[in-house]
Amino acid sequence: MDFGYPVLTLLILFPLVAACGLFFLRAPQVVRMYTFVVSVIELLLAVPLLGYKPNADFQFVERLDWVHQWNLEYFLGVDGISILMVWLTLAVLPLCVMCSWTYIGKRVKEFHFCLLFMTSAVLGVFCALDLVLFYVFWEAMLIPMYLLIAVWGGDDRKYASLKFFLYTLTGSTLLLAAIVAFRITGGTFAIPELMEQTFTFRFQFWAFLAMALAFAIKVPMFPFHTWLPAAHVQAPSAGSVILAAVLLKMGTYGFLRFCLPLTPAASEYFAPMMIAISIVSIIYGGAIALGQTDIKKLVAYSSVGHMGFVTLGIFLFNQRGVEGALFQMLNHGIVTGALFMMIGAVYERSHSRDIEKNMGLGKHMPAFMFFWGLMALASFGFPGTNGFVGEILVFVGAFQESIWLGMLCVPGALLAAAYMFRVSLKMAWGQPSSAKKWKDLNAREWVYLTIPAVFVFWIGLNPALFFKVIDPSVNKLLENFDKRKVAHLETEQPMQTAANDILGVLAGKK
């Protein structure tokens, strides 16, 4: 689709170029207003994306030679799997600026530089169609996220930021190994071209393990989740919003963009393991969240459970499951992002995240509790909210595969209702009240909470438009997966044959 200018490149580069303009500003209030205006302009620049045509092809494609000798290309494009993540990333930026308006008081200029840099990197991840370009953006987002936690985080920020960095870097190293392997075997870094190629099961086996581990750390799946609660609790509000809304989705996006289309036979082979880990993540995340006294840590552990539903839907390999996974990716970003913004708002009043220090808000802060209650209902999938759409689709997909698999998901849903009701009831009517002298939401807080609330109802009551966008790409993904997943199965033991291949390469025989 040609709009006369490179839409995706402009969306990626504009925040980065605008970030450089921050160094010419001095007053913190001017920096905040400048970044907010940049975020609004970024949304306006994305208006051409509304012309996306619901089909299975990559659209808004930009393809140029980058390093010809290495066959590297500057290759961008979006389809139904990635375009919703692009819109989510674009929407998160102005919300992060607004929720940080009074929360961030030191190094304001550097903080907003990190927000803009992060936006460019994440947009690049969701738009890149060249493996090396994808990896460059994937690694680039590490720097601003590390700084957001390490510089503007809580008392244990150094521990949390280092843990986040080391976990993610470990996964990135494995991802790089898989990328090199695809180039050597497939002869190209172009993702659409690799999707058309056939790889042996032995190759897929090791490539899947490397990629899946990298993506599982990013999601994060149990038992690689331990960096997430620390990062969420120590990060400033905007850092937690970005982390929950878009960074975790990079992992599940990786499963959909790389593992299923490039390693279909290995994905089928490892599906029982991935489903089992997803179920454990759902139940474990909910059980641990139920016992938390820190509101932010409770929501952080809830993310482990919610993202477990996403990975479960992906590895069911049926239409309802994958649709549910994509809806959960979008809905979790909206709902959990809003919850973290509200935690930041109440922290500015109480200077504490303990449930016991934030009770009795219903009488003194009714507007706040309205939005909190709405997001709590959406979080555990109450009918009429966006959370219900994604969760019910994953449930349907699970029951289509096995009634027992579907039944194993039920405790996760019950735990989600239990921990959200527990914290919400205490915050609304718990005694003694902590909020007697607190002011209810101001105009800025009303704005940044109303926006996600609109999408909670829109997706929950009328999801047809979103189905129309994602269904062609989902159908194409599953059709290609079904055709190719059994084409490469071999009778040899994969571990033994793969090891023999590696030894042969080292010995110079292959």
Side-chain angles (χ1 to χ4, degrees):
M1 188 174 298
D2 185 12
F3 281 87
Y5 64 94
V7 177
L8 299 182
T9 295
L10 192 59
L11 290 176
I12 293 169
L13 290 183
F14 178 70
L16 194 58
V17 173
C20 297
L22 289 170
F23 293 108
F24 299 98
L25 306 177
R26 292 186 179 275
Q29 200 68 0
V30 175
V31 169
R32 296 184 182 103
M33 184 58 69
Y34 172 85
T35 311
F36 180 73
V37 171
V38 167
S39 68
V40 173
I41 294 174
E42 176 80 345
L43 281 172
L44 294 175
L45 291 174
V47 167
L49 294 182
L50 296 175
Y52 177 86
K53 295 181 179 179
N55 58 52
D57 299 326
F58 288 106
Q59 299 178 39
F60 303 96
V61 173
E62 302 169 29
R63 191 169 190 175
L64 299 169
D65 271 344
W66 182 12
V67 182
H68 182 73
Q69 293 83 350
W70 296 350
N71 200 25
L72 296 181
E73 294 179 297
Y74 179 78
F75 192 4
L76 302 175
V78 292
D79 65 353
I81 293 172
S82 58
I83 193 166
L84 293 183
M85 295 299 101
V86 170
W87 275 112
L88 181 61
T89 305
L90 294 169
V92 161
L93 178 58
L95 300 182
C96 286
V97 176
M98 285 190 284
C99 76
S100 303
W101 206 272
T102 56
Y103 192 95
I104 299 298
K106 67 174 184 178
R107 300 192 176 189
V108 175
K109 185 187 303 184
E110 291 83 356
F111 175 83
H112 289 87
F113 180 91
C114 288
L115 289 184
L116 293 171
F117 190 103
M118 175 74 73
T119 301
S120 289
V122 175
L123 286 172
V125 167
F126 292 131
C127 296
L129 294 179
D130 179 275
L131 284 174
V132 173
L133 187 63
F134 172 87
Y135 186 76
V136 169
F137 288 124
W138 177 277
E139 287 293 272
M141 72 87 207
L142 269 177
I143 302 168
M145 193 67 232
Y146 170 82
L147 292 175
L148 285 175
I149 301 171
V151 178
W152 295 276
D155 294 337
D156 292 329
R157 59 185 179 272
K158 291 183 179 179
Y159 165 78
S161 59
L162 184 60
K163 193 171 186 178
F164 161 78
F165 190 85
L166 291 177
Y167 264 77
T168 309
L169 188 62
T170 301
S172 298
T173 304
L174 294 169
L175 180 60
L176 179 60
I179 288 172
V180 172
F182 275 112
R183 171 64 179 87
I184 293 172
T185 306
T188 180
F189 288 115
I191 296 170
E193 293 174 12
L194 289 170
M195 289 178 179
E196 301 299 322
Q197 296 192 28
T198 299
F199 301 102
T200 66
F201 179 70
R202 286 171 289 178
F203 175 85
Q204 290 188 41
F205 182 93
W206 290 104
F208 177 91
L209 281 180
M211 294 189 299
L213 186 55
F215 300 144
I217 290 172
K218 186 74 75 177
V219 170
M221 299 177 72
F222 179 91
F224 309 108
H225 67 284
T226 57
W227 66 267
L228 181 65
H232 266 315
V233 170
Q234 297 305 317
S237 293
S240 293
V241 172
I242 293 173
L243 197 58
V246 292
L247 257 65
L248 305 188
K249 311 309 177 295
M250 289 165 56
T252 48
Y253 173 78
F255 283 124
L256 289 166
R257 178 63 75 222
F258 298 102
C259 290
L260 268 63
L262 301 185
T263 58
S267 297
E268 176 84 357
Y269 181 83
F270 283 107
M273 180 187 74
M274 300 301 293
I275 289 173
I277 295 175
S278 299
I279 295 293
V280 171
S281 297
I282 292 168
I283 297 175
Y284 173 85
I288 299 299
L290 187 59
Q292 298 303 313
T293 58
D294 183 306
I295 307 173
K296 204 172 188 183
K297 192 173 287 188
L298 182 151
V299 178
Y301 275 109
S302 77
S303 292
V304 177
H306 289 306
M307 296 306 292
F309 276 106
V310 177
T311 52
L312 173 63
I314 291 171
F315 285 95
L316 292 173
F317 306 133
N318 60 41
Q319 184 176 5
R320 295 298 172 237
V322 177
E323 285 176 342
L326 283 167
F327 268 97
Q328 279 292 86
M329 288 166 65
L330 178 63
N331 296 337
H332 178 265
I334 294 168
V335 173
T336 307
L339 288 172
F340 279 122
M341 288 192 291
M342 284 186 280
I343 293 169
V346 78
Y347 180 81
E348 290 188 68
R349 292 162 170 82
S350 69
H351 304 292
S352 173
R353 291 186 296 266
D354 288 341
I355 298 175
E356 302 297 327
K357 300 289 182 64
N358 293 284
M359 297 197 301
L361 276 60
K363 180 178 179 181
H364 304 284
M365 298 179 66
F368 176 90
M369 284 311 303
F370 164 76
F371 285 110
W372 181 274
L374 174 63
M375 297 304 165
L377 292 172
S379 182
F380 67 79
F382 191 80
T385 65
N386 60 343
F388 176 76
V389 178
E391 197 164 297
I392 195 65
L393 286 169
V394 174
F395 266 90
V396 170
F399 275 105
Q400 283 180 351
E401 291 299 308
S402 165
I403 188 171
W404 297 109
L405 181 58
M407 292 300 295
L408 286 172
C409 298
V410 173
L414 295 177
L415 284 167
Y419 62 68
M420 289 311 302
F421 269 124
R422 171 179 167 268
V423 67
S424 299
L425 291 175
K426 284 191 174 185
M427 289 177 67
W429 295 298
Q431 294 296 329
S433 175
S434 310
K436 293 179 180 179
K437 297 182 180 180
W438 298 354
K439 293 183 178 180
D440 207 350
L441 299 178
N442 58 41
R444 173 175 52 84
E445 292 166 337
W446 266 98
V447 171
Y448 71 64
L449 292 177
T450 299
I451 293 170
V454 169
F455 283 92
V456 166
F457 287 119
W458 181 12
I459 300 173
L461 298 175
N462 187 24
L465 174 63
F466 301 89
F467 278 111
K468 186 179 179 180
V469 170
I470 68 173
D471 272 351
S473 295
V474 169
N475 291 336
K476 181 180 179 180
L477 172 69
L478 293 176
E479 286 172 7
N480 290 338
F481 176 83
D482 289 335
K483 290 177 183 177
R484 301 175 62 206
K485 68 181 180 181
V486 295
H488 322 297
L489 293 178
E490 300 173 3
T491 57
E492 299 176 272
Q493 292 295 321
M495 292 289 287
Q496 178 182 350
T497 54
N500 289 339
D501 279 356
I502 293 173
L503 291 174
V505 170
L506 293 176
K509 295 178 180 180
K510 294 187 179 183

